[in-house]
């Protein structure tokens, strides 16, 4: 599981910062999460293959989270894309994007499939044999979802050393890999658990931006491996949170702690602050394992 942050600052782009967009690589998928202005430039800059992006998840319809999407869709067309492109986002996103295409007489030459969301409850929106994606309902000024990406548990793997110790014939290996018990030379059953290794613990990633402090998400993200949570403000500006429907770094840390997350990544910083290190310092007073998102930063969580 690997996360590449393309942009992570609030509101408007600057010459040295970009609005929200990130790429999550998980179980051979390359998921694009949000698509602020400049996303396709950042994709090129960090050498991420456009052709590997088949699913795009948009949290809400504020410009700093989806204004880069019409341009990216058009670029896919110019590059001769033929594969389906799936877009998940709030109801209205299909109308917004197709209006751009209609007015510019630039319909895609590939299937563009919209999955419009309107439920205020968490729902499963993507699943294959290795990964699931659920919505995380958030509270913002417009209808907003975060997303929880989870690996499915991998099958147990054959323990060659154990098989040799029990003198299990190689002809049984395929069946053991499928979950069956082994049989030693004397005809005695050897349980599958003794002949296989535990799979790695499945990893998970929760993307939560933008939102006020909201404990209702805790049951959904409980025990998450990595939590990305917006931290637009520092505690000194907490009075702005209710009006703008954003969170502080301290509040993000409180969510991480109560969710029993293993790692918290902060982002969506207001540009009023001189240093993003201030966010890390504030969050670490509540939750010990904190990282700062920054444009171009890569987090590799291993296999």
């Amino acid at each position: 599981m690997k996360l590449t942050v393309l942009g992570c600052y609030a509101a408007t782009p600057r010459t040295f910062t970009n609005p929200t967009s990130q790429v999550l690589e998980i179980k051979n998928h390359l998921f694009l999460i949000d698509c602020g202005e400049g996303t396709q430039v950042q994709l090129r800059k960090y050498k991420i293959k456009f052709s590997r992006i088949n699913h795009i998840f948009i949290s809400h319809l504020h410009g700093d989270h989806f204004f880069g999407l019409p341009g990216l869709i058009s670029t896919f067309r110019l590059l001769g894309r033929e594969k389906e492109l799936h877009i998940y986002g709030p109801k209205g996103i299909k109308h917004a994007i197709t209006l751009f295409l209609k007015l510019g007489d630039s319909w895609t030459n590939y299937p563009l499939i919209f999955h419009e969301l309107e439920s205020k409850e968490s729902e499963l929106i993507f699943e294959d044999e290795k990964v699931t994606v659920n919505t995380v309902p958030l509270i913002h000024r417009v209808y907003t979802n975060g997303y929880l990406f989870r690996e499915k548990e991998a099958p147990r793997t054959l323990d060659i050393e154990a098989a040799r110790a029990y003198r299990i014939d190689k002809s049984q290996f395929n069946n053991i890999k499928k979950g069956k018990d082994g049989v030693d030379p004397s005809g005695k059953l050897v349980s599958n658990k003794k002949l296989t290794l535990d799979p790695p613990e499945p990893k998970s990633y929760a993307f939560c931006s933008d939102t006020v402090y909201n404990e209702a998400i805790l049951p959904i993200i409980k025990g998450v491996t990595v939590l990305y949570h917006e931290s637009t403000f520092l505690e000194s500006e907490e009075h702005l949170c209710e009006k703008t429907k954003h969170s502080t770094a301290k509040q993000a840390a409180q969510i991480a702690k109560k969710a029993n997350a293993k790692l918290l990544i902060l982002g969506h910083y207001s540009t009023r602050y001189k240093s993003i290190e201030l966010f890390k310092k504030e969050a670490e007073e509540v939750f010990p394992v904190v990282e700062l998102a920054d444009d171009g930063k890569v987090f590799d969580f291993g296999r």
Side-chain angles (χ1 to χ4, degrees):
M1 190 170 76
K2 184 168 77 171
L3 180 72
T4 301
V5 179
L6 303 176
C8 63
Y9 288 79
T12 59
R14 298 180 292 175
T15 56
F16 54 95
T17 64
N18 291 273
T20 302
S21 184
Q22 47 186 250
V23 171
L24 179 69
E25 187 168 358
I26 180 170
K27 293 294 184 181
N28 295 322
H29 287 289
L30 207 64
F31 293 137
L32 180 64
I33 310 169
D34 274 350
C35 191
E37 291 177 71
T39 292
Q40 61 178 310
V41 175
Q42 292 292 88
L43 287 169
R44 291 189 185 280
K45 182 176 180 179
Y46 297 109
K47 296 180 171 54
I48 295 169
K49 290 185 178 180
F50 284 34
S51 61
R52 288 193 60 199
I53 298 172
N54 299 316
H55 301 270
I56 300 175
F57 299 85
I58 301 298
S59 61
H60 63 295
L61 297 182
H62 280 163
D64 56 334
H65 293 261
F66 95 109
F67 276 0
L69 187 56
L72 182 61
I73 289 171
S74 297
T75 294
F76 281 142
R77 172 178 175 267
L78 295 173
L79 293 175
R81 184 186 180 99
E82 295 180 353
K83 291 188 298 181
E84 293 179 349
L85 179 64
H86 294 261
I87 297 174
Y88 307 78
K91 187 175 181 179
I93 193 169
K94 180 178 180 178
H95 177 69
I97 297 301
T98 53
L99 182 60
F100 270 106
L101 300 177
K102 178 182 178 180
L103 294 177
D105 192 22
S106 55
W107 297 104
T108 64
N109 54 352
Y110 57 89
L112 185 59
I113 301 169
F114 291 91
H115 304 263
E116 293 197 307
L117 309 171
E118 52 185 329
S119 175
K120 294 184 179 180
E121 303 293 327
S122 179
E123 57 183 337
L124 177 69
I125 58 172
F126 174 85
E127 182 176 19
D128 66 6
E129 68 278 4
K130 294 184 177 180
V131 178
T132 62
V133 184
N134 287 76
T135 58
V136 182
L138 302 175
I139 300 174
H140 193 42
R141 299 194 305 278
V142 295
Y143 176 77
T144 305
N145 282 299
Y147 297 101
L148 174 63
F149 303 83
R150 286 188 289 204
E151 296 178 344
K152 290 185 176 180
E153 188 169 295
R156 299 178 67 83
T157 54
L158 181 68
D159 184 344
I160 294 293
E161 295 303 318
R164 287 174 181 165
Y166 284 102
R167 299 166 62 202
I168 303 297
D169 190 85
K170 290 181 181 179
S171 63
Q172 301 182 52
F173 285 3
N174 281 337
N175 284 334
I176 292 170
K177 289 177 183 177
K178 294 175 183 177
K180 293 184 178 180
D181 294 333
V183 181
D184 70 13
S186 70
K188 182 179 178 182
L189 281 179
V190 181
S191 71
N192 183 269
K193 195 165 185 178
K194 291 180 179 178
L195 299 171
T196 54
L197 299 169
D198 292 335
E201 183 179 350
K203 295 182 177 65
S204 54
Y205 175 68
F207 171 85
C208 296
S209 182
D210 303 7
T211 184
V212 293
Y213 179 82
N214 178 20
E215 291 189 3
I217 70 174
L218 293 175
I220 305 169
I221 65 171
K222 197 73 175 176
V224 70
T225 308
V226 182
L227 169 63
Y228 173 92
H229 196 289
E230 76 123 288
S231 54
T232 305
F233 301 116
L234 295 176
E235 191 176 12
S236 54
E237 279 70 48
E238 185 181 355
H239 61 282
L240 297 175
C241 288
E242 184 56 35
K243 176 183 177 182
T244 62
K245 296 294 187 283
H246 284 299
S247 302
T248 67
K250 182 178 180 179
Q251 289 172 338
Q254 289 169 338
I255 290 292
K257 183 177 181 179
K258 291 180 179 181
N260 197 28
K262 292 180 173 62
L263 171 67
L264 170 65
I265 299 177
L266 299 175
H268 203 266
Y269 320 107
S270 168
T271 54
R272 71 182 62 214
Y273 303 106
K274 292 182 179 180
S275 171
I276 61 175
E277 291 294 329
L278 298 170
F279 292 87
K280 189 172 191 288
K281 182 179 180 182
E282 180 172 294
E284 285 178 336
E285 294 176 1
V286 175
F287 185 78
V289 191
V290 180
E291 293 282 355
L292 294 172
D294 207 356
D295 295 6
K297 195 167 182 177
V298 177
F299 299 90
D300 195 333
F301 307 110
R303 294 187 180 276

